[in-house]
Amino acid sequence: MGELGNRLKEAREEKNMSLDDLQTITKIQKRYLLGIEEGNYGIMPGKFYVRAFIKQYAEAVGLDPEQIFEEFKSEIPSTYDDEESVELSRVKTHKELPKSASKAIEMLPRILVFGVVIAVAIVIWVISQQNNGSKNDMAEKGNSSSQVEDVSKENDYSKANDVTGEDAASEETAEKDKPAEEEKAPDQPAQSIAVQNTQKRTTTYELSGTDKFELEISSKERTWISIKNGKGKTFYSANLEGGQSQKQDFSAEEEVKIVIGYMPNTEIKVNGEVLKYELDPTKVTTQNINIIHKKE
């Protein structure tokens, strides 16, 4: 096993992921994943697949593929030979094309430019038509609003003149007879999220002051997350794409264990309150977050 295989395997084990879990996430056969860890690239379909599989493996366990390629470039095979053979094949195919096909290829850029010009002209015409329609609609709405406002002012003036002294007296009496407003119920104590302890990559929090426990995880970048309860039951285990979120109600659970593959730009909310990370996510990019729900 090489240094690259050891690095990838350690990252996988830190996330408590088996090769079967990794196969489910990456869709790469288990024997290829094992070959990467053991440095046995001879079983791969080709050099291109070796680099592609290593990239997917690194992303799934929360490592930066570019950094991995740079750090272990002496172990990872280059795809230069494959790319060169593909380029030679393309050149040969181009030389064997008949003259009619070559002329068609030469005319293709002109045809594309002509098509783009026509498309732009159509878009400009459609936008101009929509703008004209919007201006007409705004003018009609303005006239209607002014008419409604005039009618409303007339009605308010008539109602003001219809109020007599007796009406005013009855309103004053009714105001005095109103019962005093009931005292407002005391505010419920706010929830509290306190840090219990930290150990390496793991932070344990305690949620108290509420029986409600709604968890929402969102990220601006692609990251792998795992959500389990204290008994080991899995509620979610997959990649979370950038801009997506995962929201579930754990009010019935006493403990929830979360594994985040890539912490930067990842946000955790508990009952709508953003969880403040005890460990700096830019320094500890892979973290385990445990939340103990202390019910009232």
Side-chain angles (χ1 to χ4, degrees):
M1 183 179 293
E3 294 183 5
L4 172 59
N6 280 329
R7 177 71 174 277
L8 294 174
K9 185 177 180 180
E10 288 176 359
R12 173 175 64 80
E13 291 177 347
E14 285 182 0
K15 291 180 175 294
N16 298 321
M17 294 170 57
S18 65
L19 285 174
D20 292 327
D21 294 334
L22 195 59
Q23 177 179 255
T24 301
I25 295 171
T26 62
K27 310 303 180 184
I28 299 174
Q29 294 184 24
K30 183 177 178 179
R31 64 191 183 99
Y32 292 148
L33 297 173
L34 185 59
I36 291 173
E37 290 185 354
E38 295 177 349
N40 183 13
Y41 302 142
I43 66 172
M44 304 296 178
K47 295 179 181 179
F48 171 80
Y49 289 95
V50 174
R51 295 179 68 88
F53 290 169
I54 290 175
K55 180 177 184 295
Q56 288 181 267
Y57 192 126
E59 289 177 345
V61 298
L63 297 177
D64 185 355
E66 297 299 330
Q67 183 177 350
I68 291 296
F69 285 145
E70 180 63 25
E71 184 176 350
F72 300 98
K73 60 184 177 181
S74 61
E75 292 188 33
I76 302 173
S78 172
T79 59
Y80 177 77
D81 295 337
D82 293 343
E83 293 173 354
E84 183 178 15
S85 62
V86 172
E87 186 65 26
L88 290 174
S89 176
R90 289 176 178 172
V91 172
K92 183 178 179 181
T93 302
H94 179 71
K95 289 181 178 179
E96 293 176 355
L97 288 174
K99 292 183 178 180
S100 58
S102 299
K103 291 182 179 180
I105 293 174
E106 292 177 357
M107 291 293 294
L108 183 59
R110 299 180 182 178
I111 296 173
L112 291 175
V113 171
F114 182 72
V116 169
V117 171
I118 293 177
V120 170
I122 293 174
V123 170
I124 293 174
W125 181 82
V126 171
I127 292 174
S128 64
Q129 293 298 316
Q130 291 178 347
N131 290 337
N132 291 335
S134 298
K135 291 179 180 179
N136 293 334
D137 292 340
M138 291 177 64
E140 292 178 359
K141 288 181 179 179
N143 293 334
S144 300
S145 298
S146 61
Q147 293 176 359
V148 171
E149 185 177 357
D150 292 340
V151 172
S152 177
K153 289 181 179 178
E154 292 178 0
N155 291 336
D156 292 342
Y157 180 76
S158 298
K159 288 180 180 179
N161 291 335
D162 290 340
V163 176
T164 63
E166 293 179 357
D167 294 334
S170 61
E171 288 179 1
E172 182 177 358
T173 303
E175 185 68 26
K176 291 181 180 180
D177 292 339
K178 284 185 179 180
E181 294 184 359
E182 297 180 358
E183 295 183 358
K184 294 183 179 179
D187 295 336
Q188 296 295 329
Q191 71 176 20
S192 173
I193 306 176
V195 176
Q196 280 194 336
N197 60 73
T198 59
Q199 185 177 7
K200 292 183 179 180
R201 298 175 179 271
T202 302
T203 304
T204 301
Y205 299 83
E206 181 181 87
L207 171 64
S208 60
T210 178
D211 291 334
K212 180 182 176 183
F213 185 5
E214 287 187 354
L215 179 69
E216 181 179 4
I217 303 176
S218 60
S219 179
K220 296 180 181 179
E221 300 181 27
R222 186 186 186 195
T223 182
W224 182 86
I225 67 171
S226 170
I227 306 175
K228 298 181 180 180
N229 64 7
K231 298 179 180 178
K233 179 181 177 182
T234 300
F235 290 86
Y236 187 85
S237 178
N239 279 323
L240 188 67
E241 300 298 332
Q244 293 184 346
S245 63
Q246 177 62 214
K247 185 176 183 181
Q248 296 190 38
D249 189 344
F250 293 102
S251 300
E253 302 296 333
E254 296 180 356
E255 183 178 4
V256 172
K257 296 184 176 182
I258 309 165
V259 179
I260 306 294
Y262 189 66
M263 290 295 293
N265 294 327
T266 299
E267 184 179 71
I268 300 176
K269 290 184 179 179
V270 178
N271 296 330
E273 180 181 346
V274 177
L275 185 68
K276 297 181 179 179
Y277 299 134
E278 185 71 9
L279 300 177
D280 189 346
T282 61
K283 296 180 180 178
V284 185
T285 57
T286 301
Q287 295 189 27
N288 303 319
I289 305 294
N290 300 335
I291 303 176
I292 298 175
H293 186 196
K294 186 177 180 182
K295 301 180 181 179
E296 294 298 319

